[in-house]
Amino acid sequence: MKKEKLVVIGNGMAPGKVLEVLLEEAPDRYKITIFNAESQVNYNRIMLSPVLTGETEFEEIIIHGDGWYIKHGITLYKGHKIVNINRDAQTVTSEHGVVESYDKLMIATGSYPFIIPVPGHKLAGVLSFRDLDDVHAMMLAAKLAARLW
Ligand SMILES: Cc1cc2nc3c(=O)[nH]c(=O)nc-3n(C[C@H](O)[C@H](O)[C@H](O)COP(=O)(O)OP(=O)(O)OC[C@H]3O[C@@H](n4cnc5c(N)ncnc54)[C@H](O)[C@@H]3O)c2cc1C
């Protein structure tokens, strides 16, 4: 039987769990392709705080490493934000120009942090805390700030 094409937008903890169950219940039903704006594999976002404090390494909070996607025949586009969904043609397009068609589309784009627009909110060092890039930005800001003192 020909596999249906399942495209997932976003690679956070929610679709990670959905796919685990799906692969258990119907391992041969879908050919799965994931597009993620972040350039990471699936990781436990909740554990970014200990990564920030240095108690944990990023590698320790990975839920699905590269091998998991290979094992399940899943194509993962890291660092590919989806910028267009064409519902008539049933395609998605990434910001890098990759076009993928789908039979089923799962949108799991989570949320974005909001910085209150008070005076100074655009100053260097005013940062949000959502992903690994934010953790690296905070670590760098802390280092630079330490040099001023
Ligand atoms: C530091 C921290 C601590 C937390 N602690 C807790 C806690 O203790 N308990 C709790 O319940 N929750 C906690 N949360 C919240 C929890 O992490 C989120 O609710 C959960 O990760 C949501 O999962 P998700 O898969 O829905 O979305 P997300 O984890 O937000 O993932 C969405 C993904 O989609 C990607 N994406 C967005 N737009 C696009 C696009 N157009 N194309 C491609 N990809 C896209 C994003 O880059 C992201 O990788 C915490 C969050 C943070 C940041």
Side-chain angles (χ1 to χ4, degrees):
M1 197 174 74
K2 195 167 174 255
K3 287 187 179 184
E4 289 177 80
K5 286 175 122 183
L6 170 64
V7 168
V8 183
I9 308 176
N11 196 33
M13 293 163 72
K17 190 65 195 170
V18 170
L19 291 179
E20 279 178 16
V21 174
L22 193 63
L23 289 167
E24 209 173 292
E25 301 284 327
D28 300 318
R29 179 156 178 186
Y30 296 106
K31 181 184 179 312
I32 302 167
T33 304
I34 306 172
F35 289 88
N36 200 29
E38 280 184 74
S39 52
Q40 314 299 334
V41 288
N42 188 290
Y43 64 90
N44 185 343
R45 197 177 297 287
I46 292 168
M47 293 300 285
L48 281 177
S49 298
V51 173
L52 177 64
T53 59
E55 292 161 78
T56 307
E57 295 293 323
F58 177 72
E59 285 66 29
E60 292 174 55
I61 69 166
I62 288 174
I63 298 171
H64 299 140
D66 286 307
W68 186 85
Y69 299 93
I70 294 166
K71 180 180 162 195
H72 294 288
I74 296 172
T75 304
L76 171 62
Y77 286 96
K78 298 177 196 167
H80 277 253
K81 184 177 181 176
I82 290 298
V83 290
N84 184 260
I85 300 172
N86 184 330
R87 292 182 65 195
D88 294 328
Q90 295 198 194
T91 59
V92 296
T93 306
S94 85
E95 61 186 339
H96 302 303
V98 174
V99 180
E100 186 70 42
S101 62
Y102 62 84
D103 297 305
K104 296 266 167 57
L105 180 64
M106 186 194 305
I107 302 174
T109 48
S111 59
Y112 289 96
F114 172 75
I115 296 180
I116 302 165
V118 292
H121 74 284
K122 285 188 176 163
L123 289 173
V126 178
L127 300 162
S128 57
F129 184 16
R130 183 71 192 171
D131 59 27
L132 187 64
D133 288 344
D134 296 333
V135 169
H136 290 151
M138 279 190 279
M139 284 172 161
L140 185 64
K143 259 189 207 161
L144 293 174
R147 280 194 208 144
L148 299 175
W149 291 51

